[in-house]
């Protein structure tokens, strides 16, 4: 079993060093580490290349956001490095030493194929991080819940890129994250796409720290970034195969309630209103571009992305 970690980095070199330190300290040694540097203005790429973990650094010519970074990194891990499992995280994700081993133990114990597994995500003070706390899969049967519990896990419908272990067979079958999302909802769309008919597990024994500056959920005031929340959520609800018709209706209602809470709690509602209206316009009038178009200037990395999204992976799609 060949496992590659993919870390997307942007302008947080000190946190990146801590993340790489944590990867080097895993009790289950990684077979490869890929750092995707999103055209950082600091020396993130240099410190990653010089780190003892031996990371391969992919320096992108421009910032492609988390969505583009993970698409490039996953494609490279699967196509070029022949990874069987890809462990995804941002540069502010600090895994505890047994985080990977616990994910693998749950995967091994579960009686059936697992598309992805996610860790328990805590803030630096040990509290569960509200930004990355999953809920049990709606409609999960008693048998599904029991099987997951026997594996030390919980069945889920979606997961976060803050420690997501993905089976490469699922990547070949479903393709990559949508790079045009740039930020926000990219992990929701991607994990929900893999788990619409696949199995996803939340593993509480696998713990990582998400060292965000503030402790808060996704309905905190995002300012101009509210554009991406609205546009990407509409893209997901209207254009993605990740949700069933019933789920689209339920998630639309949940999104409208969350947006209302965000607006009520904002200190600058004019900014939020403008960003939200632009997001609604673009979410309704156009869809996301193909990954190969969004990432067209990445040289050989573009070819790896296109091969996976088009089902031309050199090892073929999942059986």
């Amino acid at each position: 079993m060949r496992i590659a970690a993919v870390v997307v980095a942007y302008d947080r070199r000190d946190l990146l060093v801590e993340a790489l330190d944590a990867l080097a300290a895993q009790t289950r040694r990684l077979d490869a580490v890929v750092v995707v540097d999103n055209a950082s203005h600091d020396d993130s790429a240099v410190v990653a290349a010089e780190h003892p973990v031996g990371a391969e650094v992919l320096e992108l010519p421009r910032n492609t956001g988390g969505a583009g970074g993970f698409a490039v990194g996953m494609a490279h891990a699967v196509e070029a490095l022949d990874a069987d499992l890809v462990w995804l995280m941002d540069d502010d994700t600090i895994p505890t030493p047994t985080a990977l081993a616990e994910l693998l133990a749950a995967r091994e114990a579960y009686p059936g194929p697992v598309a992805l597994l996610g860790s328990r995500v805590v803030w630096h003070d040990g509290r569960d991080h509200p930004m990355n706390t999953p809920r049990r899969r709606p409609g999960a049967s008693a048998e599904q819940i029991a099987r997951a519990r026997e594996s030390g896990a919980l069945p889920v419908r979606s997961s976060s890129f803050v420690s997501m272990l993905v089976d490469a067979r699922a990547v070949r079958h479903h393709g990559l994250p949508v790079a045009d999302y740039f930020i926000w909802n990219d992990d929701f769309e991607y994990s929900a796409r893999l788990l619409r008919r696949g199995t996803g597990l939340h593993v509480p024994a696998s713990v990582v720290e998400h060292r965000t500056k503030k402790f808060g959920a996704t309905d905190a005031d995002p300012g101009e970034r509210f554009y991406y929340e609205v546009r990407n959520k509409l893209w997901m609800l209207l254009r993605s195969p990740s949700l069933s018709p019933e789920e689209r209706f339920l998630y639309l209602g949940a999104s409208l309630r969350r947006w209302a809470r965000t607006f009520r709690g904002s200190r600058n509602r004019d900014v939020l209103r403008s960003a939200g209206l632009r997001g609604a316009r673009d979410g309704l009038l156009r869809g996301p571009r193909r990954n190969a178009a969004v990432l067209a200037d990445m040289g050989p990395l573009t070819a790896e992305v296109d091969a996976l999204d088009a089902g031309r992976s050199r090892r073929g799609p999942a059986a």
Side-chain angles (χ1 to χ4, degrees):
M1 185 66 64
R2 184 167 171 78
I3 306 175
V6 172
V7 182
V8 175
Y10 181 69
D11 281 356
R12 293 188 290 206
R13 57 98 64 195
D14 293 337
L15 279 173
L16 176 60
V17 170
E18 292 188 65
L20 296 178
D21 287 345
L23 291 179
Q26 291 299 300
T27 57
R28 196 293 189 186
R29 184 176 178 179
L30 286 154
D31 300 285
V33 175
V34 178
V35 174
V36 182
D37 182 65
N38 254 327
S40 294
H41 300 94
D42 60 13
D43 60 345
S44 290
V46 174
V47 299
E50 295 177 349
H51 193 278
V53 77
E56 179 178 0
V57 181
L58 308 180
E59 294 188 61
L60 304 190
R62 55 184 169 81
N63 183 10
T64 64
F70 282 118
V72 169
M74 290 176 70
H76 188 70
V78 173
E79 281 292 283
L81 303 181
D82 286 331
D84 300 293
L85 297 170
V86 185
W87 193 19
L88 308 172
M89 65 194 71
D90 291 309
D91 53 3
D92 60 354
T93 304
I94 315 298
T96 58
T98 61
L100 177 58
E102 294 290 355
L103 292 174
L104 294 173
R107 182 179 182 272
E108 181 68 23
Y110 189 80
V114 179
L116 65 84
L117 304 97
S119 300
R120 178 188 172 210
V121 181
V122 301
W123 204 40
H124 61 75
D125 62 359
R127 288 182 290 172
D128 285 344
H129 205 305
M131 190 179 293
N132 312 108
T133 302
R135 290 180 297 220
R136 191 179 73 190
R137 183 181 185 112
S141 67
E143 181 183 1
Q144 288 174 315
I145 295 169
R147 275 201 268 174
R149 184 182 298 120
E150 290 169 3
S151 306
L154 181 76
V156 292
R157 182 66 178 87
S158 62
S159 193
S160 164
F161 282 156
V162 181
S163 184
M164 181 193 295
L165 185 67
V166 185
D167 193 307
R169 291 171 297 182
V171 179
R172 294 189 189 94
H173 184 75
H174 293 281
L176 297 163
V178 181
D180 218 9
Y181 275 49
F182 193 73
I183 57 169
W184 288 10
N185 293 305
D186 48 330
D187 48 2
F188 181 27
E189 189 280 334
Y190 187 64
S191 60
R193 195 189 331 154
L194 269 58
L195 300 183
R196 181 168 177 181
R197 296 179 179 86
T199 296
L201 300 177
H202 170 66
V203 185
S206 171
V207 180
V208 304
E209 291 184 26
H210 190 193
R211 294 189 181 170
T212 56
K213 292 181 179 179
K214 297 181 179 179
F215 181 82
T218 54
D219 55 359
D221 192 344
E224 286 287 351
R225 291 188 173 193
F226 192 53
Y227 167 82
Y228 295 106
E229 159 65 16
V230 174
R231 185 198 66 175
N232 295 353
K233 191 65 65 63
L234 288 174
W235 276 353
M236 181 178 177
L237 293 170
L238 299 175
R239 305 176 189 276
S240 169
S242 58
L243 302 175
S244 69
E246 296 80 10
E247 288 174 326
R248 293 176 197 274
F249 178 77
L250 292 173
Y251 279 119
L252 174 61
S255 297
L256 291 173
R257 289 192 297 272
R258 183 178 296 111
W259 294 346
R261 286 197 305 269
T262 301
F263 189 79
R264 286 197 301 269
S266 174
R267 295 182 178 180
N268 196 338
R269 294 181 178 180
D270 289 340
V271 170
L272 215 61
R273 183 183 294 107
S274 174
L277 288 174
R278 288 186 287 109
R281 177 199 64 199
D282 291 348
L284 292 171
L285 297 182
R286 69 176 182 88
R289 297 167 292 169
R290 291 178 58 248
N291 281 351
V294 177
L295 305 169
D297 54 345
M298 304 295 165
L301 298 174
T302 302
E304 293 172 356
V305 167
D306 193 38
L308 272 173
D309 277 337
R312 296 194 304 269
S313 174
R314 53 196 177 84
R315 287 178 58 183

